[in-house]
């Protein structure tokens, strides 16, 4: 991969920043809208004895947006759940290669899910279904599923491309987040495990086991 200061590197950085801003804006507006809607519904119920008839439906709509737009946002922040017991004991070079494989496979899976979600959204749009309370097209609710999966796929592709830069020894769990542990004890424990693994490999190389002579 080209360096970060190259033209291609700057394009990828700009794309990552743009997606991050869009996700942050949508998530912020959705959370504020959900809070406002819930508070207004409480005031209407207890002060005027009249709930907002669309409150539950709107909150369900916003939950879908927050869940699937948050998928790409969490991926960009490197906060997604990872099972890394085997990964952590590998040397940095092998962890970098493994991260490329993991990111590419995950990106492809996310892209396939986004395509399936898009096909479902198009079917809903063709049938002309609307929501019961707000009477808005139902596909507007499900389109966020496809969009969120697509953005997550892009983030994983960016992560894989970032780790293809062999001149940078760091391992990235997202395009802009380096793989490291904040907990000093965990970091030291993993470091010791890696050193022990490397020492064991060196001993095997320096002291090969000679084959035993057959008994007579």
């Amino acid at each position: 991969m080209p360096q970060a200061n190259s033209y291609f590197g700057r394009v990828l950085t700009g794309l990552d920043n743009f997606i991050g801003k869009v996700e942050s804006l949508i998530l912020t507006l959705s959370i504020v809208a959900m809070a406002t809607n819930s508070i207004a519904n409480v005031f209407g119920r207890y002060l005027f004895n009249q709930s907002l008839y669309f409150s539950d439906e709107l909150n369900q709509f916003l939950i879908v947006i927050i869940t699937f737009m948050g998928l790409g946002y969490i991926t960009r922040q490197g906060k997604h759940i990872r099972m890394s017991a085997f990964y952590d004991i590998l040397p940095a070079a092998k962890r970098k290669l493994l991260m490329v494989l993991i990111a590419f496979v995950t990106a492809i899976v996310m892209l396939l899910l986004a395509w399936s979600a898009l096909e479902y959204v198009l079917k809903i749009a063709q049938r002309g279904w609307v929501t019961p309370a707000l009477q808005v097209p139902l596909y507007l609710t499900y389109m966020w599923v496809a969009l969120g999966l697509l953005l997550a796929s892009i983030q994983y592709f960016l992560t894989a491309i970032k780790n293809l830069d062999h001149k940078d020894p760091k391992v990235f769990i997202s395009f802009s987040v380096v793989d490291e542990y904040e907990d000093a004890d965990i970091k030291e424990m993993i470091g010791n495990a890696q050193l022990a693994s490397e020492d064991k490999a060196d001993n095997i190389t320096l002291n090969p086991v000679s084959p035993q002579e057959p008994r007579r």
Side-chain angles (χ1 to χ4, degrees):
M1 172 195 163
Q3 296 295 308
N5 55 1
S6 66
Y7 175 76
F8 186 55
R10 292 195 299 271
V11 169
L12 294 181
T13 301
L15 175 63
D16 178 64
N17 292 334
F18 174 75
I19 293 176
K21 290 178 180 178
V22 171
E23 290 171 339
S24 298
L25 178 62
I26 294 175
L27 287 171
T28 300
L29 293 177
S30 298
I31 293 172
V32 171
M34 180 180 290
T36 303
N37 177 53
S38 299
I39 293 172
N41 190 43
V42 171
F43 274 99
R45 181 183 304 162
Y46 290 100
L47 294 182
F48 304 105
N49 294 322
Q50 181 65 47
S51 299
L52 298 178
Y53 70 93
F54 57 84
S55 180
D56 290 340
E57 185 176 288
L58 180 58
N59 276 348
Q60 292 174 6
F61 178 65
L62 293 171
I63 287 173
V64 172
I65 296 177
I66 293 170
T67 300
F68 287 93
M69 293 304 296
L71 178 61
Y73 180 81
I74 290 298
T75 302
R76 184 176 185 273
Q77 299 298 320
K79 301 296 185 180
H80 47 282
I81 297 175
R82 298 185 297 144
M83 305 297 293
S84 58
F86 174 73
Y87 166 87
D88 286 335
I89 64 175
L90 294 176
K94 293 183 179 179
R95 282 191 285 121
K96 200 173 184 70
L97 290 176
L98 184 58
M99 182 57 68
V100 171
L101 177 62
I102 292 172
F104 264 128
V105 172
T106 308
I108 292 172
V109 171
M110 290 292 178
L111 189 59
L112 292 175
L113 291 174
W115 179 258
S116 298
L118 179 60
E119 289 182 334
Y120 182 74
V121 169
L122 293 177
K123 289 180 182 179
I124 296 297
Q126 291 175 354
R127 294 175 181 177
W129 291 350
V130 296
T131 59
L134 294 174
Q135 293 294 303
V136 297
L138 187 60
Y139 75 90
L140 293 179
T141 301
Y142 295 114
M143 64 174 287
W144 296 98
V145 177
L147 180 59
L149 291 170
L150 176 62
L151 292 179
S153 176
I154 293 174
Q155 289 293 344
Y156 278 110
F157 271 121
L158 291 176
T159 303
I161 294 172
K162 184 73 172 182
N163 284 290
L164 289 175
D165 184 5
H166 299 292
K167 295 182 179 180
D168 191 343
K170 297 187 293 294
V171 181
F172 290 83
I173 55 177
S174 75
F175 188 79
S176 57
V177 178
V178 179
D179 183 18
E180 59 183 3
Y181 283 90
E182 297 180 359
D183 192 317
D185 293 334
I186 295 178
K187 187 175 182 180
E188 182 180 0
M189 180 179 64
I190 293 174
N192 292 336
Q194 291 173 351
L195 289 175
S197 177
E198 292 173 0
D199 291 341
K200 185 177 179 180
D202 292 340
N203 290 334
I204 293 175
T205 304
L206 296 175
N207 301 310
V209 179
S210 58
Q212 297 181 354
E213 296 182 359
R215 294 183 180 179
R216 297 180 180 179

